[in-house]
Amino acid sequence: NAGVTQTPKFQVLKTGQSMTLQCAQDMNHEYMSWYRQDPGMGLRLIHYSVGAGITDQGEVPNGYNVSRSTTEDFPLRLLSAAPSQTSVYFCASSSPRTGNYGYTFGSGTRLTVV
Amino acid sequence: GDSVTQMERPVTLSEEAFLTINCTYTATGYPSLFWYVQYPGEGLQLLLKATKADDKGSNKGFEATYRKETTSFHLEKGSVQVSDSAVYFCALKGQGAQKLVFGQGTRLTINP
């Protein structure tokens, strides 16, 4: 079982560059989300999706876009990278069908913007 | 909105010491409560959960009891090991919701 797979694991970008962080899950979970983790800030929700074709903003959405064309994939796009987006990004998925067992997290993408 | 507050300052203990990490929450209704653990260089793993008042979640020697009256979900372990060194996150999922709200995380270091 792969669970939630994130790629790449590490990335260095120059200010102004764009890129896509990939996230895929093989558990047929309806709900997927992106968080960023910064020191002293815990995890903050960027965007989330309750199913294919449906996305919504979280707590810190500015500078990021998402789409959900399939149940399995939920890519996060940085439109024009800024140093403030240096962070560790986590993708997670869950399903109401599994009850309240929380989320399954990917192993993270460490992004540095220089 | 829903929120979670946990002790921010790092915790350093000696092996076999007793551990408490405090967590309090603000939410309407009856949220589900979770503790996640993040080992160095890894993603978050679910450690334990409780879905209703007075439930006790437990795993790997860790315990936490859902206290509705004090809106708390403190994490405890009777005898910690060096391998417990990690960052611990308290989180809640609102009643009927799917979004998970996290506390700031507490870094735990256990010295041999």
Side-chain angles (χ1 to χ4, degrees):
Chain A
N1 289 337
V4 177
T5 302
Q6 287 184 241
T7 56
K9 291 192 180 300
F10 302 94
Q11 183 71 50
V12 179
L13 289 179
K14 294 183 179 178
T15 298
Q17 286 185 316
S18 62
M19 79 159 294
T20 299
L21 280 62
Q22 301 291 344
C23 175
Q25 53 94 5
D26 62 356
M27 298 168 286
N28 202 28
H29 283 175
E30 295 88 344
Y31 189 86
M32 297 185 74
S33 55
W34 277 101
Y35 288 86
R36 59 177 289 173
Q37 182 182 23
D38 302 294
M41 304 291 288
L43 276 78
R44 293 182 291 171
L45 182 64
I46 305 171
H47 285 286
Y48 65 97
S49 168
V50 299
I54 306 169
T55 63
D56 206 346
Q57 296 181 351
E59 183 183 354
V60 288
N62 292 341
Y64 308 95
N65 273 358
V66 292
S67 60
R68 185 93 180 270
S69 57
T70 66
T71 300
E72 294 78 18
D73 300 302
F74 192 45
L76 178 72
R77 297 183 186 84
L78 279 70
L79 308 173
S80 177
S84 61
Q85 294 179 304
T86 294
S87 187
V88 181
Y89 292 84
F90 288 100
C91 180
S93 73
S94 70
S95 171
R97 293 178 285 107
T98 61
N100 283 307
Y101 286 91
Y103 287 8
T104 300
F105 281 83
S107 56
T109 295
R110 184 174 295 274
L111 175 68
T112 302
V113 182
V114 299
Chain B
D2 296 347
S3 66
V4 176
T5 302
Q6 63 178 107
M7 50 202 304
E8 293 184 51
R9 59 177 175 80
V11 175
T12 301
L13 296 172
S14 298
E15 206 166 19
E16 300 184 0
F18 183 85
L19 168 70
T20 299
I21 300 177
N22 290 338
C23 171
T24 57
Y25 68 90
T26 301
T28 55
Y30 294 87
S32 295
L33 302 174
F34 305 87
W35 277 100
Y36 281 84
V37 58
Q38 183 182 32
Y39 298 105
E42 299 184 10
L44 278 72
Q45 303 173 25
L46 180 64
L47 180 60
L48 53 83
K49 66 175 178 66
T51 58
K52 60 183 186 295
D54 299 325
D55 265 3
K56 178 184 284 188
S58 61
N59 187 25
K60 299 182 181 180
F62 290 90
E63 294 183 339
T65 301
Y66 187 149
R67 301 288 189 197
K68 181 72 172 172
E69 63 275 14
T70 55
T71 61
S72 65
F73 193 54
H74 304 322
L75 183 68
E76 297 181 334
K77 186 173 185 182
S79 177
V80 293
Q81 306 300 314
V82 172
S83 57
D84 294 327
S85 297
V87 180
Y88 292 81
F89 291 92
C90 185
L92 72 80
K93 187 189 296 185
Q95 189 173 3
Q98 281 294 310
K99 283 192 287 185
L100 204 56
V101 177
F102 286 90
Q104 299 92 327
T106 301
R107 182 174 299 278
L108 172 67
T109 301
I110 307 300
N111 294 321

